[in-house]
């Protein structure tokens, strides 16, 4: 028998399944992971902000990535570690909506930022003589504002469509709140939400992938034609770092979204994929950029 969850104070997140002996090790691991994510990303932000030689379009665009990563990590870890130590998996409906909004805002933001960075690398490598004329400070500001406004518009519309639905269940099927798990709480027709979700996936995932494929095909072509081995090596190293980070996020995100749309997918696998989206990119992004980008590496040291 279903209850009206729209007026209910609390929802129930999926149980973590931790025995008593693993509660405090899990709490410690989650807390340390969150602290490491915040420290590494703050270090990246401070390095870019304080080093004058990094005040270039590539690194100014990169500056937005740790901000997005910290939002994603903060959406998951504080609530998760609190529920681990208290063994309380209840969450209020407003808090659930906020968590879900931040989770999707983070994922969409990262894909948009990485797509903009791919465009920057394309201009820098394929049109070096026109780079300063194209990537002007005004153009850069417009790109950053457009990224965050588009992100807010896409995710805001997603949750406005969700907010109009009346919920009749209270059990979230995932370890944290997200749009697909909240949709499963409603007994109303979700066709509009599903169509918007599909358009959202095609537009965002397909659009960003198209940008990456086109820009990297042009970059690869330019690198093959260049007669300067040092320039070719630097271009491949920079683009390889960016491509690694993009693929980690793209594959994880797409797999998680598709897992919600196919009933045959194991719930355990779906939950593991969902958590990995919020752990691996925020943890690995600053480390990979710090180790693989020469300018950042030398600035930190």
């Amino acid at each position: 028998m279903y209850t009206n969850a729209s007026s209910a104070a609390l929802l129930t997140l999926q149980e973590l399944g931790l025995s008593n002996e693993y509660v405090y090790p899990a709490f410690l691991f989650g807390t340390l992971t969150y602290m490491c994510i915040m420290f590494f990303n703050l270090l990246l932000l401070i390095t870019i902000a304080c080093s004058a030689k990094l005040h270039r379009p590539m690194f100014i665009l990169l500056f937005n990535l740790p901000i997005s990563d910290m939002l994603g990590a903060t959406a998951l870890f504080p609530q998760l570690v609190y529920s681990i130590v208290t063994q309380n998996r209840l969450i209020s409906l407003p808090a659930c909506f906020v968590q879900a909004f931040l989770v999707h805002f983070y994922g969409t933001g990262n894909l948009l930022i990485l797509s903009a960075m791919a465009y920057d690398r394309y201009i820098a490598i394929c049109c070096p003589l026109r780079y300063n004329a194209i990537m002007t400070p005004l153009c850069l500001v417009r790109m950053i504002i457009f990224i965050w406004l588009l992100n807010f518009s896409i995710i805001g519309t997603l949750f406005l469509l969700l907010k109009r639905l009346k919920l009749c269940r209270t059990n979230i099927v995932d370890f944290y709140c997200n749009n697909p798990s909240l949709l499963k709480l409603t007994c109303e027709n979700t066709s509009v939400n599903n169509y918007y979700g599909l358009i959202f996936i095609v537009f965002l995932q397909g659009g960003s992938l198209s940008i990456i494929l086109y820009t990297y095909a042009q970059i690869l072509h330019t690198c093959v034609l260049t007669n300067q081995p040092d320039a070719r090596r630097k271009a491949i190293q920079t683009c390889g770092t960016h491509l690694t980070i993009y693929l980690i996020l793209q594959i994880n995100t797409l797999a998680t979204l598709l897992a919600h749309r196919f009933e045959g997918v194991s719930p355990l696998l779906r939950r593991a994929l969902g958590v990995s989206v919020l752990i691996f990119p925020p943890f690995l992004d600053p480390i990979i950029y710090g180790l693989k980008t020469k300018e950042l590496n030398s600035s930190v040291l």
Side-chain angles (χ1 to χ4, degrees), residues 192-259:
V192 174
N193 299 69
N194 290 330
Y195 288 138
Y196 182 82
L198 286 172
I199 294 171
F200 164 70
I201 291 174
V202 171
F203 170 74
L204 183 63
Q205 305 282 140
S208 65
L209 184 61
S210 298
I211 292 172
I212 294 293
L213 289 176
Y214 174 78
T215 54
Y216 274 73
Q218 296 300 314
I219 289 170
L220 182 61
H221 177 69
T222 302
C223 288
V224 170
L225 294 179
T226 186
N227 293 321
Q228 299 178 345
D230 288 341
R232 184 191 304 142
R233 179 181 54 79
K234 184 178 179 181
I236 292 174
Q237 181 180 1
T238 303
C239 293
T241 301
H242 180 269
L243 187 61
T244 300
I245 289 173
Y246 175 82
L247 289 176
I248 290 172
L249 179 67
Q250 177 78 297
I251 293 171
N252 272 21
T253 303
L254 186 59
T256 303
L257 292 174
L258 292 178

Side-chain angles (χ1 to χ4, degrees), residues 14 173-176 178 184 251-277 280:
Q14 178 65 37
V173 298
D174 285 324
F175 293 135
Y176 59 88
N178 52 58
K184 291 175 182 178
I251 293 171
N252 272 21
T253 303
L254 186 59
T256 303
L257 292 174
L258 292 178
H260 272 281
R261 293 185 175 272
F262 295 98
E263 295 296 331
V265 176
S266 164
L268 185 61
L269 175 62
R270 186 191 69 237
R271 291 164 194 152
L273 288 170
V275 171
S276 70
V277 172
F280 291 119

Side-chain angles (χ1 to χ4, degrees), residues 41-61:
N41 282 284
L42 280 172
L43 181 61
L44 183 58
L45 284 175
I46 293 170
T47 301
I48 295 173
C50 295
S51 179
K53 68 179 181 180
L54 298 179
H55 295 172
R56 307 202 307 267
M58 172 187 170
F59 295 103
I60 294 174
L61 287 172

Side-chain angles (χ1 to χ4, degrees), residues 80-96:
L80 180 63
V81 296
Y82 171 79
S83 69
I84 288 173
V85 77
T86 62
Q87 293 289 283
N88 182 357
R89 296 297 287 159
L90 298 177
I91 185 171
S92 69
L93 184 59
C96 190

Side-chain angles (χ1 to χ4, degrees), residues 106-126:
Y106 143 76
T108 303
N110 273 28
L111 285 176
L112 292 173
I113 292 164
L114 291 171
S115 298
M117 291 175 66
Y119 174 75
D120 172 75
R121 290 299 82 204
Y122 161 69
I123 299 298
I125 295 171
C126 299

Side-chain angles (χ1 to χ4, degrees), residues 43 47 53-54 290-291 293-301:
L43 181 61
T47 301
K53 68 179 181 180
L54 298 179
L291 292 177
T293 305
K294 184 178 179 181
E295 294 91 338
L296 272 174
N297 202 338
S298 60
S299 295
V300 172
L301 296 176

